[in-house]
Amino acid sequence: MIAPFTIDPANSMNIVSTKESKIAGMLCLAVFASLTFIMSLVFYPSQLTTVVSGAIGSLMQNLTYSAGHQGFLISLTALILLTAWQRRRANNNLHLLIQLGLLLVLSFGAKTVLKELTQSPRPYTETLTELQVIDSPPSFYNLTVDEKNDRIHQVDDQVSKWRTKHWIGETDYSFPSGHTIFVSICVLFFGGLFASQGRYALSALVITWAVGVAASRLWLGMHRPVDLFASMVFALILYISIPSRYPILDKVLSKIKNR
């Protein structure tokens, strides 16, 4: 008698195809973009001279830090470890790790190039202009780093330090948003993997975090909505372009195994 065909739930991630994972990632990004659009109606334009409570300031700071150089490695490590645990019996984890590495490296390099090509002033330079410490947003970028920081310190009594501490740390251009590119890649990659495995709560958690990061960038005066949505499109193009499987890697691993 032939035993009925069954699927081991622990190995369900092996059955999910790369195509399904990519489609799930794109659906997650669509949800992220939709929620960000709604959120941008609330947070943009932000009145950057308003009084800020410590709780709100701390929340926005930690959200932006979680996707910036201060904490993106912590966020990335947590997501990788969580994914590794969920996919501990999958056989294509090395392929996915390579894909993730390529996504991050290429996005960082392209973001730097795009900022220099577009040279879009950050929104907070408009506030500095209104407060008459610079002549115009473009003129801010003709200053040295020390001069930029000095102009920002001149508005310390009019703008909350929860905001100005971030302005001092980020005096480069606005377009695109590096933070949003990073969280968009996380939504596409990790959110897509979780959703394709039926781990919808984890996928929703990644999307919620990403929306929070996007909100923090608007609230701090670092970006405009167009910066955020262009970053999502850019991340999507990379995600579609970079393959999830590498046949050469399989051949190399097979040769090593057979030795």
Side-chain angles (χ1 to χ4, degrees):
M1 182 176 178
I2 299 175
F5 178 73
T6 59
I7 297 175
D8 181 358
N11 289 323
S12 61
M13 66 285 292
N14 289 320
I15 300 168
V16 176
S17 69
T18 298
K19 182 178 179 180
E20 289 174 325
S21 179
K22 286 219 168 189
I23 291 174
M26 288 185 276
L27 289 174
C28 288
L29 186 70
V31 174
F32 172 38
S34 299
L35 293 176
T36 299
F37 174 76
I38 296 171
M39 174 274 299
S40 66
L41 297 178
V42 177
F43 285 92
Y44 189 84
S46 293
Q47 178 51 257
L48 301 181
T49 56
T50 56
V51 177
V52 176
S53 69
I56 295 297
S58 179
L59 173 63
M60 293 300 178
Q61 174 176 274
N62 289 328
L63 281 168
T64 210
Y65 278 174
S66 70
H69 68 271
Q70 301 89 346
F72 87 95
L73 284 176
I74 297 175
S75 301
L76 186 62
T77 300
L79 287 169
I80 289 174
L81 291 176
L82 182 57
T83 304
W85 172 254
Q86 294 292 331
R87 295 177 51 84
R88 57 192 179 277
R89 297 186 182 180
N91 56 13
N92 66 331
N93 287 336
L94 186 56
H95 292 265
L96 292 174
L97 192 60
I98 293 173
Q99 182 196 25
L100 177 62
L102 289 173
L103 283 169
L104 294 173
V105 171
L106 292 176
S107 66
F108 177 80
K111 179 246 340 183
T112 303
V113 172
L114 287 171
K115 281 184 181 291
E116 290 301 319
L117 288 176
T118 57
Q119 297 191 351
S120 174
R122 290 192 182 274
Y124 71 73
T125 60
E126 297 172 7
T127 298
L128 295 179
T129 302
E130 292 170 3
L131 296 176
Q132 299 182 343
V133 297
I134 59 174
D135 295 328
S136 65
S139 70
F140 179 75
Y141 294 91
N142 295 326
L143 305 174
T144 66
V145 172
D146 289 339
E147 289 172 337
K148 289 176 181 176
N149 291 340
D150 177 67
R151 298 300 190 279
I152 294 170
H153 280 305
Q154 287 182 33
V155 301
D156 278 343
D157 59 339
Q158 296 165 287
V159 180
S160 169
K161 289 187 177 180
W162 286 111
R163 286 186 165 114
T164 56
K165 70 168 67 173
H166 294 274
W167 298 1
I168 289 174
E170 299 181 60
T171 57
D172 58 346
Y173 293 107
S174 178
F175 184 94
S177 167
H179 289 66
T180 308
I181 290 176
F182 172 68
V183 296
S184 295
I185 288 174
C186 289
V187 167
L188 285 161
F189 185 84
F190 295 106
L193 285 175
F194 292 146
S196 65
Q197 297 167 17
R199 311 289 186 179
Y200 301 116
L202 291 176
S203 185
L205 182 62
V206 174
I207 294 172
T208 301
W209 163 66
V211 173
V213 171
S216 74
R217 303 309 286 166
L218 297 180
W219 184 88
L220 289 168
M222 293 297 182
H223 292 289
R224 303 170 183 84
V226 66
D227 301 338
L228 307 185
F229 293 114
S231 299
M232 294 177 198
V233 172
F234 177 69
L236 177 60
I237 292 172
L238 281 178
Y239 183 67
I240 293 174
S241 303
I242 296 175
S244 300
R245 293 201 67 89
Y246 303 87
I248 295 177
L249 177 61
D250 286 330
K251 292 180 180 179
V252 171
L253 293 176
S254 178
K255 287 182 179 179
I256 293 175
K257 184 177 179 180
N258 294 329
R259 283 184 178 179

